[in-house]
């Protein structure tokens, strides 16, 4: 079969659908949908999230140097879409959606209690790639709903009904 050239942007499939929650230095909380995200180190555990500098969350993450990656299940589709299309610059999105927040154990940022898994991260590096700045976050603590944890203490990802598009 013949192959033809295509557009280049976002050429890897599939992107994870996560919510990154964050806090600014005045204590305001926010969250945004992020597709540019991946594991980037097994030992020590690290993840990477890409944030466009024009996002309101960008300055919050830069200020505090921490963020939380929240995995998103299908039941949170409405919230995911809202947080990915409205800005914390204009309103308190989490309050408007009635989303429940908890406190990070290791980082000064909110965790989203409705999400099945929340991963607290401290920024250890960042790379300005082009459209995004990729923040490398050392995993400091993981909160997982009890029913998702297997006998080895790991998250059983097959039990999460991940959001689909
Ligand atoms: C499916 C999806 C994936 C997205 N991925 C990213 C991303 O990887 N990085 C990013 O900066 N914005 C991404 N966005 C856009 C932000 O979530 C969106 O601009 C959001 O309103 C920014 O919120 P804020 O201004 O409160 O930070 C994505 C949006 C959607 C719907």
């Amino acid at each position: 079969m013949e192959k033809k050239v295509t557009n280049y942007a976002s050429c890897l499939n599939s992107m994870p659908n996560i919510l990154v929650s964050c806090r600014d230095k005045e204590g305001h909380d926010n969250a945004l949908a992020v597709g540019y995200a991946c594991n980037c180190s097994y030992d020590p555990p690290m993840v990477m999230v890409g944030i466009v500098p024009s996002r309101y969350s960008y300055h919050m993450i830069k200020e505090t140097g921490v963020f939380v990656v929240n995995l998103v299940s299908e039941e949170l589709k409405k919230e995911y879409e809202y947080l990915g299309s409205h800005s914390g610059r204009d309103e308190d999105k989490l309050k408007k959606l009635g989303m429940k927040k908890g406190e990070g154990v290791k980082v000064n940022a909110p965790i989203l209690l409705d999400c099945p898994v929340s991963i607290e991260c401290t920024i250890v590096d960042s790379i300005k790639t082009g459209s995004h700045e990729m923040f490398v976050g050392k995993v400091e603590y993981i909160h997982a709903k009890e029913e998702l944890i297997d006998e080895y203490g790991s998250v059983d990802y097959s039990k999460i009904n991940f959001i689909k598009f």
Side-chain angles (χ1 to χ4, degrees):
M1 194 193 297
E2 198 188 336
K3 287 184 178 174
K4 291 195 171 173
V5 69
T6 73
N7 295 328
Y8 301 155
S10 302
C11 46
L12 293 186
N13 188 267
S14 65
M15 287 193 280
N17 297 116
I18 59 162
L19 287 168
V20 170
S21 50
C22 51
R23 175 172 290 160
D24 70 13
K25 62 177 174 351
E26 274 87 41
H28 302 117
D29 294 339
N30 194 31
L32 82 165
V34 167
Y36 280 41
C38 60
N39 295 313
C40 64
S41 168
Y42 180 78
D43 183 18
M46 293 192 199
V47 297
M48 193 154 66
V49 297
I51 310 291
V52 178
S54 60
R55 310 297 186 225
Y56 190 64
S57 304
Y58 178 84
H59 87 272
M60 306 175 89
I61 291 170
K62 289 287 259 193
E63 272 174 25
T64 52
V66 298
F67 60 88
V68 177
V69 170
N70 301 272
L71 306 188
V72 187
S73 51
E74 187 68 16
E75 306 82 70
L76 293 169
K77 197 164 192 166
K78 177 176 69 70
E79 289 82 354
Y80 180 83
E81 286 176 344
Y82 194 91
L83 292 165
S85 57
H86 293 71
S87 180
R89 199 173 279 117
D90 306 318
E91 60 178 336
D92 182 340
K93 293 189 277 186
L94 295 171
K95 191 169 173 190
K96 162 118 188 204
L97 292 167
M99 291 187 76
K100 294 196 262 330
K101 294 185 293 184
E103 281 300 309
V105 171
K106 300 280 188 182
V107 306
N108 180 23
I111 64 166
L112 303 181
L113 295 176
D114 304 301
C115 292
V117 176
S118 300
I119 304 162
E120 297 185 28
C121 299
T122 303
I123 296 171
V124 293
D125 207 346
S126 82
I127 311 157
K128 285 188 176 149
T129 49
S131 52
H132 290 60
E133 182 163 351
M134 304 302 298
F135 293 103
V136 177
K138 179 172 172 287
V139 175
E140 304 283 10
Y141 194 96
I142 302 186
H143 308 252
K145 290 198 170 161
E146 200 174 349
E147 63 272 19
L148 300 175
I149 303 173
D150 68 17
E151 72 250 52
Y152 307 106
S154 302
V155 173
D156 181 349
Y157 291 92
S158 70
K159 288 191 175 154
I160 301 176
N161 182 20
F162 283 109
I163 193 168
K164 291 175 230 40
F165 288 97

